[in-house]
Amino acid sequence: HTSERNVTGVQTCALPISSTLDESQKLDISVDIESLKDQLVKSNPDKTIIGHLWTRIQDVATLGGFTAAVAKVVPLISGLLPS
């Protein structure tokens, strides 16, 4: 399927492939990352949406062992996260 190839490409670019994440979690984090990117390019990003997306990304990244990658991103988006 074309959509599966696109999602795999996003996963490969966004995070190393993890054997600890199931396919559903990989798809979810890929979609959440894309949605976060969409919010970040807006002139007025919605902090509530960013907060929800970031929480889910952090949860899955922790399960997948990507906490170091998350730690690198936090300083870049901290001003956009709800207080």
Side-chain angles (χ1 to χ4, degrees), residues 15-70:
L15 293 170
I17 300 301
S18 171
S19 60
T20 59
L21 300 176
D22 64 31
E23 291 304 311
S24 176
Q25 290 169 315
K26 290 176 186 177
L27 176 61
D28 287 349
I29 197 168
S30 295
V31 171
D32 288 345
I33 289 169
E34 287 301 310
S35 298
L36 180 63
K37 288 168 40 178
D38 290 343
Q39 283 297 314
L40 294 175
V41 298
K42 288 183 168 185
S43 58
N44 293 312
D46 186 320
K47 289 184 178 185
T48 302
I49 293 172
I50 290 172
H52 288 294
L53 292 168
W54 187 244
T55 298
R56 292 196 316 239
I57 291 168
Q58 284 181 303
D59 291 347
V60 174
T62 299
L63 288 172
F66 304 113
T67 53
V70 167

